[in-house]
Amino acid sequence: MHDRLDDCVEKFRLIICINVLEHILDDRLFLDLILRNLLPGGLLIIGVTGREDRWYLEDDLVGHLRRYSKNRLQTLIEEQTNSETEVWSIGYPLMSIGQRVKNILLKKQASQFSALSKEAQTQTSGIRSVPLLPIWSILGYVSNFAVKLLFSPIQRLFYNSNAGIQLVAFA
């Protein structure tokens, strides 16, 4: 993947990198390669798994190498960009509860994927089946609706906290 980024000759006003850094061994180098392709004054949006203090079974199964704290993500980006970075903590409280339920459901698949290398886990993370997928899909739809209707105003109260299961940085 680094080879392809290094060969990119185009420059962009906006680069969005969601759920990637936690899979990359050298996140500093990867971020440096991304930034080489960002135009001066451009916007970088990065989303990562948050809460270093919460390592779930899913993290192992999908090949995560790390989770990030707000401070760690902000420092990583600011050291590379020399610009102010805003980091939001998102997914609280609903995603935090959902993650715990998903972790219970994933225990059935743990033995199947735990023997894979981190690279293989990453490559299969978006295509493997989730137990009780129809139910999970319906719950996802309902929770998405609930978040938009009920929890969005509440969640905004936690943007500056460390409570969210995901982090989104803007630089």
Side-chain angles (χ1 to χ4, degrees):
M1 183 181 310
H2 291 131
D3 302 1
R4 288 182 241 148
L5 281 173
D6 217 13
D7 292 340
C8 185
V9 294
E10 287 191 64
K11 302 288 183 204
F12 303 94
R13 281 183 245 156
L14 171 65
I15 295 178
I16 301 172
C17 179
I18 304 293
N19 295 332
V20 175
L21 282 183
E22 57 269 37
H23 294 273
I24 304 296
L25 189 58
D26 190 340
D27 55 355
R28 289 183 189 283
L29 173 62
F30 186 78
L31 184 57
D32 179 58
L33 292 170
I34 288 172
L35 290 169
R36 289 180 196 176
N37 298 301
L38 186 65
L39 286 168
L43 176 62
L44 174 66
I45 301 173
I46 294 182
V48 296
T49 53
R51 300 291 307 259
E52 287 178 312
D53 62 325
R54 298 258 175 103
W55 190 265
Y56 293 101
L57 177 59
E58 182 181 24
D59 292 305
D60 288 322
L61 296 179
V62 299
H64 288 169
L65 299 173
R66 73 191 72 75
R67 284 180 161 266
Y68 291 84
S69 67
K70 284 180 69 174
N71 186 48
R72 180 178 178 182
L73 181 61
Q74 186 170 10
T75 300
L76 173 70
I77 296 169
E78 287 181 350
E79 285 176 351
Q80 300 276 343
T81 63
N82 294 319
S83 68
E84 192 174 317
T85 302
E86 186 172 348
V87 179
W88 290 357
S89 177
I90 63 170
Y92 184 84
L94 199 57
M95 280 177 65
S96 298
I97 296 165
Q99 185 64 48
R100 292 173 193 261
V101 172
K102 190 175 182 183
N103 199 49
I104 292 167
L105 294 173
L106 286 172
K107 283 185 180 180
K108 295 179 181 181
Q109 290 185 330
S111 61
Q112 181 182 355
F113 294 103
S114 61
L116 298 175
S117 69
K118 287 289 184 193
E119 184 177 342
Q121 288 170 335
T122 294
Q123 290 173 349
T124 62
S125 66
I127 59 173
R128 68 177 64 130
S129 64
V130 175
L132 306 172
L133 184 59
I135 294 171
W136 197 250
S137 296
I138 292 167
L139 287 175
Y141 178 77
V142 169
S143 68
N144 189 28
F145 180 74
V147 165
K148 287 182 179 169
L149 222 77
L150 305 171
F151 289 99
S152 281
I154 294 169
Q155 183 174 270
R156 287 187 185 128
L157 299 173
F158 295 95
Y159 280 173
N160 292 319
S161 76
N162 288 311
I165 198 93
Q166 291 283 331
L167 299 173
V168 179
F170 306 89

